[in-house]
Amino acid sequence: MNIAMSLRGRGSIGSAQRALKVLSRFGTTASEMSRRLDRYERITSDLGVRPTWPTTACVLARHPSLLRAYAERGAELALHGLVHGDHAALDRREQREAIARAIDIFRHAGLAPVGFRGPYLLYNDATLDVLRELGLRYHCSQAVAFPVFRDDERIQAAPSYRRALQLYSARDSRRIAVRPKVRDGLVDIPVAIPDDEILLDRLALAEPARSAEWLHILDLTHERGDLFTIQLHPERIFELADALRDTLAAARRRRPVVFTATLGVIAGWWLRRSGFRLHVMRTDDDRYRVRLDADADATLLVRGLDVSRTPWHGRDAISTSRDFETRALRIPVVGVSGRTPPAVHAFLREEGLPFAVSDDAQSYGAHIDVPGTEWTEAQVLDAIDSAPGPLVRLWRWPNGARSALAVTGDVDALTLQDFVLRFWETRSSLWTGAGASVWTGTRA
């Protein structure tokens, strides 16, 4: 355990309470955590979901056969660092060495990681550069804070809750589009809070309040078409089994459907989607040809157009054709004023919204006018969602899904020994030096 990080994130009293809880969740062998991983796996499997478990490489090195068995049954094991240390405190050279060695450990165990989550959800620009250089597909280290369901002043003012938001540099879900973003070939996947640690240790919620928090986030993400990345460490599965099961069962009942997948699958989809192209061309004064060049699982939405379509959500429908001509009194794309900054253009492209720069607001199915650099993604999307249309749009998720959900949980210790070793590993040459031979020889 990194004592300085624990004090920073929890304070002295919270750190002491954390230490006592650790003693009850880990044993001298991996059998206790195996029971928790098995319970986790059964819940997700019963509801048709495969989890992503970011795993610290040194833990994998000590327990390769145990963790590999879960991967062989469908769980994704992502990188969670070489040791459980703060990547934001390391320079590029140190991170290049540490992450490369972590990848080697995974490969030695017969695993090929495609994604990364920083311990404590911490990272810096050098982290992202190294991940790109080493060929990883995604990182999932950016926290996004959703409104607490029981949003009273007592909870919002709780020092431990505020401390968590500060530690994670959490972004406000009410201001952004909570979905992946491609940044120079690397997919940035957000992770939702309140997570398991906040629900249990910081807010001290009991059932049914725990389930209510995650069901509330499911409601918000489904309505907005966002991604809900659940963070539930396997060590807390017994306490949060009902919350996880309730949330996944509710997700299965939602219509339009919720796209549930591992982070690796979501990243793969988002990279494929980034190569799709939606074309809108005028063929006459009031006639337009629409063509989507995309894989078969892409979703083409239409609003206010007399074309072959199936009902979907609100005023939007799914077009049954990828190539059609239609009549429209307004151009079925987003008009963007000339003073709107280019950053909004890039945002619209990744949202799958064709646009044209014009100050003639009445000629377009929707129009955006951002007078300066102060704008939020949510404001732009709200303006488009409230516009009358006509509009066409490449939707975010495949096969007509309205929103998306992933279940994740970090595996940073399987035994009490693993947990105790975290403090030593982050202070030794194992972290940034050349002493990795102590544990990189994996055991079968």
Side-chain angles (χ1 to χ4, degrees), residues 247-307:
T247 304
L248 296 185
R252 290 191 64 177
R253 295 192 296 267
R254 292 302 168 96
R255 297 294 180 272
V257 300
V258 177
F259 173 49
T260 58
T262 63
L263 295 181
V265 170
I266 289 173
W269 156 254
W270 207 259
L271 286 170
R272 278 198 297 126
R273 180 185 176 279
S274 69
F276 301 163
R277 295 293 179 265
L278 178 55
H279 308 277
V280 180
M281 297 155 283
R282 189 194 296 270
T283 60
D284 206 341
D285 286 345
D286 60 354
R287 294 194 64 82
Y288 301 89
R289 182 183 177 189
V290 177
R291 188 182 81 247
L292 175 62
D293 296 330
D295 295 342
D297 54 352
T299 304
L300 175 57
L301 299 183
V302 293
R303 180 191 305 172
L305 292 175
D306 186 16
V307 298

Side-chain angles (χ1 to χ4, degrees), residues 201-212:
D201 299 345
R202 296 180 189 270
L203 300 181
L205 298 182
E207 282 295 351
R210 298 169 186 169
S211 295

Side-chain angles (χ1 to χ4, degrees), residues 50-276:
R50 299 298 183 193
T52 297
W53 290 335
T55 303
T56 311
C58 60
V59 174
L60 176 63
R62 289 191 284 267
H63 311 279
S65 59
L66 173 64
L67 291 170
R68 187 169 55 239
Y70 291 107
E72 290 170 350
R73 294 197 295 269
E76 177 193 0
L77 299 188
L79 283 179
H80 195 43
L82 176 65
V83 303
H84 203 269
D86 177 7
H87 280 259
L90 300 183
D91 62 26
R92 191 185 189 286
R93 179 194 61 78
E94 292 168 330
Q95 293 197 69
R96 173 65 170 78
E97 181 178 347
I99 295 174
R101 285 159 58 192
I103 292 173
D104 287 343
I105 291 170
F106 269 69
R107 289 174 177 165
H108 191 77
L111 301 170
V114 298
F116 172 88
R117 172 177 288 159
Y120 312 105
L121 301 182
L122 297 177
Y123 67 99
N124 56 25
D125 289 342
T127 315
L128 307 184
D129 288 342
V130 168
L131 296 177
R132 293 186 188 97
E133 179 186 339
L134 295 176
L136 274 78
R137 182 178 293 173
Y138 72 85
H139 85 103
C140 181
S141 310
Q142 178 58 59
V144 174
F146 286 86
V148 177
F149 181 52
R150 302 182 186 280
D151 195 11
D152 58 42
E153 293 183 1
R154 178 186 60 82
I155 287 179
Q156 296 298 342
S160 61
Y161 182 65
R162 296 202 316 272
R163 194 179 293 120
L165 296 180
Q166 182 178 10
L167 173 66
Y168 298 147
S169 300
R171 296 174 181 169
D172 188 343
S173 69
R174 294 167 293 190
R175 296 175 58 84
I176 66 173
V178 186
R179 45 83 169 161
K181 296 175 173 65
V182 179
R183 297 294 177 260
D184 298 325
L186 184 69
V187 182
D188 175 358
I189 303 179
V191 56
I193 56 174
D195 62 0
D196 60 324
E197 190 265 349
I198 289 175
L199 293 182
L200 288 181
D201 299 345
R202 296 180 189 270
L203 300 181
L205 298 182
E207 282 295 351
R210 298 169 186 169
S211 295
E213 293 299 335
W214 282 352
L215 289 171
H216 178 54
I217 298 176
L218 179 66
D219 288 340
L220 293 173
T221 53
H222 190 262
E223 177 58 31
R224 293 178 47 184
D226 283 343
L227 169 65
F228 180 13
T229 303
I230 294 174
Q231 163 93 304
L232 169 53
H233 293 72
E235 67 193 66
R236 297 188 181 92
I237 186 61
F238 291 159
E239 297 92 333
L240 286 161
D242 289 344
L244 179 61
R245 186 183 300 105
D246 291 348
T247 304
L248 296 185
R252 290 191 64 177
R253 295 192 296 267
R254 292 302 168 96
R255 297 294 180 272
V257 300
V258 177
F259 173 49
T260 58
T262 63
L263 295 181
V265 170
I266 289 173
W269 156 254
W270 207 259
L271 286 170
R272 278 198 297 126
R273 180 185 176 279
S274 69
F276 301 163

